[in-house]
Amino acid sequence: MTSRTPEQIAQTKSQLLALIDELAVVRGKVTLSSGKEADYYLDLRRITLDHRSAPLVGDVMLDLFEEHGLLNDLDAAGGLTMGADPVGTAIMHASVQRNTPVDAFVVRKQAKEHGMGRRVEGPDVKGKRVIAVEDTSTTGGSVLTAVEALREAGANVVAVAVVMDRETGAKERVEAEGLPYLIALSTADLGLE
Ligand SMILES: O=P(O)(O)OC[C@H]1O[C@H](OP(=O)(O)OP(=O)(O)O)[C@H](O)[C@@H]1O
Ligand SMILES: O=C(O)c1cc(=O)[nH]c(=O)[nH]1
């Protein structure tokens, strides 16, 4: 268990939100991963790969897991490459700082065709309690691809967790698969629709 106070938790969240607003919101017509069009883009790689915000991402996600009672017996977190990759490693590094170690993994879009031929890279997830994470979700299609690959690899997926949800159907799709959908921040927190 950690001893983060509600004030610390709220402060980390608001610092991360301010950095997302400043660095990651790109306004204008854009085509999304799903092929849909949108009026803005969240380039969260500008957050998860920035030395100021990456540690905040780890803390905010661990606070979220703890709030939902999922941190104590969690083995690993990660998701579909590549947006989820630095989220998984931020969680791993922050977990070591808190003395609640969590491994990371990367789900490849396709299994590697040489070497070990693995789809899920990192310490073996078979029989492990894992959370599938995302930087952002729109339809939830990417994170559900990760969930499917994790289940095929024998992992026990206990939840999906997203740094910033766009409120465009991912929650409903993930919950329809029987998984809790946890969000740290939402585009509504930025006044985006
Ligand atoms: O909920 P969805 O509709 O699946 O959209 C969200 C996905 O889109 C982005 O990744 P992208 O597909 O652009 O690929 P990348 O991570 O390889 O850059 C983002 O990192 C999520 O993975
Ligand atoms: O749906 C997507 O592809 C998407 C939306 C968004 O805001 N940010 C992102 O990285 N991907």
Side-chain angles (χ1 to χ4, degrees):
M1 283 295 284
T2 59
S3 52
R4 301 252 299 158
T5 64
E7 291 74 22
Q8 285 174 314
I9 291 169
Q11 191 187 26
T12 309
K13 235 172 146 166
S14 84
Q15 286 170 338
L16 180 59
L17 192 64
L19 283 168
I20 292 174
D21 201 14
E22 180 189 340
L23 304 173
V25 180
V26 184
R27 288 181 169 81
K29 282 260 177 266
V30 63
T31 303
L32 303 178
S33 180
S34 54
K36 292 183 179 165
E37 288 235 313
D39 293 329
Y40 68 89
Y41 195 69
L42 298 170
D43 189 357
L44 285 185
R45 294 136 188 97
R46 299 186 199 188
I47 290 295
T48 55
L49 297 168
D50 185 298
H51 69 281
R52 293 163 291 178
S53 38
L56 304 177
V57 169
D59 273 327
V60 161
M61 296 302 272
L62 288 179
D63 290 340
L64 183 67
F65 299 169
E66 194 150 44
E67 180 193 336
H68 290 270
L70 292 170
L71 185 55
N72 279 343
D73 51 4
L74 185 67
D75 295 307
L80 190 70
T81 194
M82 68 79 43
D85 300 347
V87 179
T89 51
I91 291 166
M92 176 181 68
H93 290 297
S95 75
V96 174
Q97 291 293 319
R98 290 187 188 195
N99 216 15
T100 54
V102 174
D103 289 326
F105 55 80
V106 171
V107 179
R108 292 180 179 276
K109 286 181 179 157
Q110 281 94 34
K112 188 159 162 158
E113 288 182 0
H114 57 280
M116 301 293 107
R118 298 175 81 196
R119 177 94 190 269
V120 183
E121 298 285 4
D124 202 347
V125 294
K126 189 168 182 194
K128 300 285 174 66
R129 283 172 65 85
V130 307
I131 295 183
V133 300
E134 263 295 14
D135 55 352
T136 185
S137 269
T138 302
T139 64
S142 302
V143 79
L144 286 175
T145 299
V147 167
E148 192 184 353
L150 286 161
R151 285 175 169 163
E152 266 172 32
N156 174 14
V157 184
V158 296
V160 163
V162 181
V163 177
M164 182 166 270
D165 179 51
R166 288 183 60 116
E167 299 195 1
T168 44
K171 175 179 166 64
E172 292 72 16
R173 245 181 110 181
V174 168
E175 288 179 348
E177 291 295 318
L179 284 170
Y181 183 79
L182 317 180
I183 63 163
L185 299 166
S186 142
T187 45
D189 297 326
L190 291 174
L192 291 167
E193 304 228 334

